[in-house]
mmCIF file of all heavy atoms in Angstrom:
data_model
loop_
_atom_site.group_PDB
_atom_site.id
_atom_site.type_symbol
_atom_site.label_atom_id
_atom_site.label_comp_id
_atom_site.label_asym_id
_atom_site.label_seq_id
_atom_site.Cartn_x
_atom_site.Cartn_y
_atom_site.Cartn_z
ATOM 1 N N GLU A 20 -1.193 8.457 11.414
ATOM 2 C CA GLU A 20 -0.147 9.018 10.561
ATOM 3 C C GLU A 20 -0.366 8.592 9.106
ATOM 4 O O GLU A 20 -1.068 7.622 8.851
ATOM 5 C CB GLU A 20 1.207 8.528 11.049
ATOM 6 C CG GLU A 20 1.557 9.038 12.437
ATOM 7 C CD GLU A 20 2.911 8.546 12.908
ATOM 8 O OE1 GLU A 20 3.663 8.010 12.054
ATOM 9 O OE2 GLU A 20 3.210 8.673 14.068
ATOM 10 N N PRO A 21 0.248 9.295 8.164
ATOM 11 C CA PRO A 21 0.099 8.881 6.754
ATOM 12 C C PRO A 21 0.564 7.436 6.573
ATOM 13 O O PRO A 21 1.477 6.988 7.217
ATOM 14 C CB PRO A 21 1.023 9.840 6.002
ATOM 15 C CG PRO A 21 1.158 11.020 6.909
ATOM 16 C CD PRO A 21 1.050 10.477 8.316
ATOM 17 N N ALA A 22 -0.103 6.747 5.685
ATOM 18 C CA ALA A 22 0.232 5.342 5.399
ATOM 19 C C ALA A 22 0.622 5.232 3.937
ATOM 20 O O ALA A 22 -0.060 5.742 3.061
ATOM 21 C CB ALA A 22 -0.986 4.451 5.693
ATOM 22 N N ASN A 23 1.724 4.539 3.700
ATOM 23 C CA ASN A 23 2.172 4.287 2.331
ATOM 24 C C ASN A 23 1.570 2.944 1.918
ATOM 25 O O ASN A 23 1.679 1.971 2.612
ATOM 26 C CB ASN A 23 3.683 4.226 2.281
ATOM 27 C CG ASN A 23 4.279 5.538 2.735
ATOM 28 O OD1 ASN A 23 3.970 6.588 2.189
ATOM 29 N ND2 ASN A 23 5.113 5.497 3.742
ATOM 30 N N GLN A 24 0.953 2.929 0.752
ATOM 31 C CA GLN A 24 0.239 1.739 0.315
ATOM 32 C C GLN A 24 0.655 1.306 -1.096
ATOM 33 O O GLN A 24 0.947 2.138 -1.956
ATOM 34 C CB GLN A 24 -1.272 2.034 0.296
ATOM 35 C CG GLN A 24 -1.806 2.419 1.645
ATOM 36 C CD GLN A 24 -3.242 2.877 1.560
ATOM 37 O OE1 GLN A 24 -3.717 3.338 0.517
ATOM 38 N NE2 GLN A 24 -3.948 2.765 2.663
ATOM 39 N N CYS A 25 0.613 0.002 -1.287
ATOM 40 C CA CYS A 25 0.864 -0.581 -2.610
ATOM 41 C C CYS A 25 -0.472 -0.726 -3.326
ATOM 42 O O CYS A 25 -1.366 -1.432 -2.855
ATOM 43 C CB CYS A 25 1.547 -1.941 -2.486
ATOM 44 S SG CYS A 25 1.839 -2.698 -4.101
ATOM 45 N N HIS A 26 -0.615 -0.055 -4.451
ATOM 46 C CA HIS A 26 -1.871 -0.108 -5.220
ATOM 47 C C HIS A 26 -1.726 -0.978 -6.479
ATOM 48 O O HIS A 26 -2.431 -0.757 -7.469
ATOM 49 C CB HIS A 26 -2.286 1.302 -5.613
ATOM 50 C CG HIS A 26 -2.795 2.089 -4.460
ATOM 51 N ND1 HIS A 26 -3.651 3.157 -4.625
ATOM 52 C CD2 HIS A 26 -2.601 1.984 -3.126
ATOM 53 C CE1 HIS A 26 -3.938 3.670 -3.437
ATOM 54 N NE2 HIS A 26 -3.297 2.985 -2.516
ATOM 55 N N ARG A 27 -0.851 -1.928 -6.479
ATOM 56 C CA ARG A 27 -0.613 -2.819 -7.622
ATOM 57 C C ARG A 27 -1.830 -3.679 -7.910
ATOM 58 O O ARG A 27 -2.231 -3.883 -9.052
ATOM 59 C CB ARG A 27 0.612 -3.679 -7.397
ATOM 60 C CG ARG A 27 0.881 -4.713 -8.500
ATOM 61 C CD ARG A 27 1.195 -4.032 -9.811
ATOM 62 N NE ARG A 27 1.538 -4.997 -10.839
ATOM 63 C CZ ARG A 27 0.710 -5.342 -11.823
ATOM 64 N NH1 ARG A 27 -0.485 -4.807 -11.895
ATOM 65 N NH2 ARG A 27 1.099 -6.217 -12.726
ATOM 66 N N TYR A 28 -2.436 -4.221 -6.880
ATOM 67 C CA TYR A 28 -3.625 -5.059 -7.012
ATOM 68 C C TYR A 28 -4.750 -4.469 -6.200
ATOM 69 O O TYR A 28 -4.577 -3.531 -5.426
ATOM 70 C CB TYR A 28 -3.321 -6.486 -6.550
ATOM 71 C CG TYR A 28 -2.292 -7.181 -7.410
ATOM 72 C CD1 TYR A 28 -0.991 -7.339 -6.955
ATOM 73 C CD2 TYR A 28 -2.611 -7.645 -8.657
ATOM 74 C CE1 TYR A 28 -0.028 -7.946 -7.752
ATOM 75 C CE2 TYR A 28 -1.675 -8.269 -9.457
ATOM 76 C CZ TYR A 28 -0.384 -8.410 -8.990
ATOM 77 O OH TYR A 28 0.567 -9.003 -9.779
ATOM 78 N N ALA A 29 -5.935 -5.026 -6.325
ATOM 79 C CA ALA A 29 -7.100 -4.554 -5.582
ATOM 80 C C ALA A 29 -6.869 -4.682 -4.073
ATOM 81 O O ALA A 29 -6.055 -5.534 -3.641
ATOM 82 C CB ALA A 29 -8.327 -5.342 -5.982
ATOM 83 N N PRO A 30 -7.592 -3.881 -3.262
ATOM 84 C CA PRO A 30 -7.447 -4.043 -1.808
ATOM 85 C C PRO A 30 -7.770 -5.461 -1.385
ATOM 86 O O PRO A 30 -8.568 -6.146 -2.028
ATOM 87 C CB PRO A 30 -8.496 -3.061 -1.248
ATOM 88 C CG PRO A 30 -8.665 -2.057 -2.326
ATOM 89 C CD PRO A 30 -8.488 -2.817 -3.632
ATOM 90 N N ARG A 31 -7.185 -5.857 -0.256
ATOM 91 C CA ARG A 31 -7.384 -7.229 0.240
ATOM 92 C C ARG A 31 -8.158 -7.212 1.564
ATOM 93 O O ARG A 31 -8.053 -6.250 2.333
ATOM 94 C CB ARG A 31 -6.008 -7.865 0.469
ATOM 95 C CG ARG A 31 -5.267 -7.968 -0.837
ATOM 96 C CD ARG A 31 -3.897 -8.547 -0.619
ATOM 97 N NE ARG A 31 -3.224 -8.581 -1.914
ATOM 98 C CZ ARG A 31 -1.942 -8.665 -2.063
ATOM 99 N NH1 ARG A 31 -1.152 -8.718 -1.009
ATOM 100 N NH2 ARG A 31 -1.389 -8.690 -3.265
ATOM 101 N N PRO A 32 -8.903 -8.276 1.863
ATOM 102 C CA PRO A 32 -9.600 -8.327 3.140
ATOM 103 C C PRO A 32 -8.649 -8.135 4.304
ATOM 104 O O PRO A 32 -7.503 -8.581 4.278
ATOM 105 C CB PRO A 32 -10.193 -9.748 3.159
ATOM 106 C CG PRO A 32 -10.269 -10.132 1.727
ATOM 107 C CD PRO A 32 -9.099 -9.468 1.051
ATOM 108 N N THR A 33 -9.126 -7.418 5.313
ATOM 109 C CA THR A 33 -8.298 -7.083 6.444
ATOM 110 C C THR A 33 -8.825 -7.734 7.711
ATOM 111 O O THR A 33 -10.038 -7.779 7.936
ATOM 112 C CB THR A 33 -8.304 -5.550 6.625
ATOM 113 O OG1 THR A 33 -7.881 -4.948 5.420
ATOM 114 C CG2 THR A 33 -7.384 -5.113 7.749
ATOM 115 N N VAL A 34 -7.937 -8.191 8.553
ATOM 116 C CA VAL A 34 -8.299 -8.795 9.849
ATOM 117 C C VAL A 34 -8.140 -7.699 10.922
ATOM 118 O O VAL A 34 -7.109 -7.035 10.985
ATOM 119 C CB VAL A 34 -7.409 -10.007 10.192
ATOM 120 C CG1 VAL A 34 -7.740 -10.526 11.567
ATOM 121 C CG2 VAL A 34 -7.564 -11.070 9.127
ATOM 122 N N TRP A 35 -9.160 -7.512 11.693
ATOM 123 C CA TRP A 35 -9.142 -6.502 12.770
ATOM 124 C C TRP A 35 -9.538 -7.134 14.092
ATOM 125 O O TRP A 35 -10.289 -8.117 14.134
ATOM 126 C CB TRP A 35 -10.142 -5.388 12.437
ATOM 127 C CG TRP A 35 -9.692 -4.541 11.308
ATOM 128 C CD1 TRP A 35 -9.845 -4.773 9.978
ATOM 129 C CD2 TRP A 35 -9.041 -3.292 11.411
ATOM 130 N NE1 TRP A 35 -9.323 -3.752 9.248
ATOM 131 C CE2 TRP A 35 -8.822 -2.815 10.129
ATOM 132 C CE3 TRP A 35 -8.600 -2.531 12.492
ATOM 133 C CZ2 TRP A 35 -8.206 -1.613 9.844
ATOM 134 C CZ3 TRP A 35 -7.982 -1.318 12.208
ATOM 135 C CH2 TRP A 35 -7.800 -0.873 10.906
#
Side-chain angles (χ1 to χ4, degrees):
E20 295 180 13
N23 300 303
Q24 300 172 335
C25 178
H26 288 204
R27 175 64 176 104
Y28 295 104
R31 297 178 182 160
T33 304
V34 176
W35 288 83

